[in-house]
Amino acid sequence: MNLKTVVVGAGGISNAWFPPLIQEGIEIAAVVDLNIETARAQIKKYELKAVASIDLEATLEQHRPDFVIDLTIPEAHREVTITALQAGYPVLGEKPMATNMDDAREMVRISTDTGKMYAVSQSRRWDKNHDILRRTIESGVIGKVTAINCDFYIGAHFGGFRDEMSSPLLLDMAIHHFDMARFFTGADPIAVYAKEYNPVGSWYKGDAAASCIFEMTDDIVFTYVGSWCSEGCHTSWNGNWRVIGEKGTLIYEYDKAPYGEVVESDTTDFHRPLKKADITDSPLEAFGMHGAICEMIDFLKTGKTPQTECKDNIKSLAMVFSAIESAKRRQRILVEL
Ligand SMILES: NC(=O)c1ccc[n+]([C@@H]2O[C@H](COP(=O)([O-])OP(=O)(O)OC[C@H]3O[C@@H](n4cnc5c(N)ncnc54)[C@H](O)[C@@H]3O)[C@@H](O)[C@H]2O)c1
């Protein structure tokens, strides 16, 4: 079965989507963008047999795709996704789902009411190292997880929409790290205390740095320290992670393979003897957006629910908005869906 899609939004990130779509043999019937020249340029660049359009509804009616891919800016996700769902098409959209919880809840409700799948691409779930870390935690090698920490420091000069957003780090970047914390541990958020701020000398209008402490299910504490306005000594874009369990610790830093140490034997020594942790391998073969596309293909062919289906993904988004709210109120906030 050859699947057909319509891609909405032909900006920077579409360069990460067209190659795997082509690789999977998905017919790209149309590329829709507010700026027709942007759509035309991407069609030409990827030698697509697609039409360029600025009118989503008319395009959907004309081409009747199997699913829609939403790669627009976060502010447009609600409108594009709801238009597609209500017209009867499943949607695979870029993160973040929406720019506020009311919009996200409405999107989830419309997905439920229409019975049309809406999955959010959290590209970092489809990464070999991330899958290895998740599987290693799941193997129980470090015992029950008690804490997970992520440090993220990048001095990123984007220009464009991120410079204008009120919470660029938390909404446009930390959503990845928050979702990764859920992916790694399988735990969900309960409450958060956060401090969001814009460092002196920042080139962003909104707050580009934050420190957050999340209480997660299973008595796990997730501590996040991040900045998009931090010059020098960068971490990787995935952040540097430490996962602490009852029996040992796992480290994932600078995109290098995860490793760890676990207690070898219980002794009365000040430091207990340690050994290398057994790391569980990953069978993952499709990475980043390709992984998200494969899960959508799987859903369309077999009905298997994608892991980032909107009812689940809204939990990661709720972490973002609860952190923003906590920072605003200077209080611990329950993470509500
Ligand atoms: N997964 C990742 O690692 C990753 C990385 C970068 C960006 N993103 C996400 O991808 C999305 C797009 O980011 P980008 O960097 O490509 O932005 P961009 O500004 O380069 O491109 C967005 C495009 O969407 C178009 N657009 C806006 N509103 C539209 C609408 N209502 N209908 C049709 N087209 C519309 C714009 O004209 C523009 O061409 C964002 O949600 C961003 O957070 C994800």
Side-chain angles (χ1 to χ4, degrees), residues 9-272:
I13 203 61
S14 69
N15 291 304
W17 285 81
F18 287 122
L21 285 171
I22 294 165
Q23 192 184 332
E24 288 299 326
I26 292 176
E27 179 191 343
I28 302 163
V31 179
V32 181
D33 198 290
L34 291 181
N35 183 342
I36 193 94
E37 288 311 324
T38 305
R40 283 189 184 132
Q42 291 300 76
I43 289 171
K44 189 166 175 219
K45 180 173 174 185
Y46 291 98
E47 300 175 348
L48 306 174
K49 289 195 192 96
V51 297
S53 166
I54 53 167
D55 186 337
L56 177 58
E57 274 185 85
T59 304
L60 292 177
E61 207 171 311
Q62 188 183 346
H63 294 282
R64 302 184 177 279
D66 294 293
F67 68 112
V68 171
I69 299 184
D70 177 10
L71 311 181
T72 59
I73 55 172
E75 289 73 11
H77 290 172
R78 176 190 169 277
E79 184 200 326
V80 168
T81 297
I82 290 178
T83 299
L85 293 173
Q86 286 184 330
Y89 302 100
V91 177
L92 175 59
E94 262 296 352
K95 45 56 62 177
M97 189 191 284
T99 53
N100 61 72
M101 283 304 286
D102 283 346
D103 284 1
R105 288 183 194 112
E106 189 185 1
M107 292 157 91
V108 171
R109 184 177 54 73
I110 289 174
S111 169
T112 306
D113 290 353
T114 57
K116 295 295 162 193
M117 172 58 64
Y118 169 39
V120 180
S121 171
Q122 295 282 174
S123 53
R124 283 148 216 256
R125 285 189 176 226
W126 298 281
D127 176 297
K128 196 112 183 156
N129 282 333
H130 301 177
D131 199 41
I132 286 171
L133 185 57
R134 181 185 72 78
R135 285 169 188 274
T136 304
I137 292 169
E138 198 179 56
S139 77
V141 68
I142 60 165
K144 191 208 160 316
V145 173
T146 58
I148 178 162
N149 299 350
C150 174
D151 287 336
F152 172 75
Y153 304 106
I154 301 262
H157 296 259
F158 293 103
F161 72 87
R162 293 178 187 84
D163 287 10
E164 309 299 320
M165 291 169 77
S166 61
S167 297
L169 176 82
L170 285 180
L171 184 56
D172 201 56
M173 187 65 220
I175 179 73
H176 283 299
H177 302 126
F178 294 175
D179 188 67
M180 284 162 75
R182 291 185 53 234
F183 177 64
F184 291 150
T185 59
D188 285 332
I190 294 171
V192 60
Y193 177 77
K195 163 82 182 163
E196 198 187 12
Y197 61 102
N198 205 15
V200 171
S202 172
W203 50 94
Y204 296 84
K205 267 199 193 141
D207 287 343
S211 297
C212 315
I213 304 169
F214 286 94
E215 295 162 39
M216 309 287 284
T217 51
D218 299 329
D219 290 326
I220 296 172
V221 177
F222 167 42
T223 305
Y224 179 73
V225 182
S227 176
W228 241 352
C229 182
S230 168
E231 301 285 26
C233 302
H234 293 171
T235 62
S236 83
W237 282 85
N238 289 315
N240 288 350
W241 292 79
R242 175 178 288 257
V243 189
I244 305 165
E246 283 176 300
K247 295 188 223 160
T249 292
L250 295 170
I251 299 285
Y252 167 50
E253 290 181 340
Y254 302 106
D255 290 345
K256 295 201 181 109
Y259 64 93
E261 287 180 337
V262 293
V263 170
E264 189 165 35
S265 58
D266 280 343
T267 63
T268 53
D269 298 343
F270 184 70
H271 292 304
R272 290 175 181 171

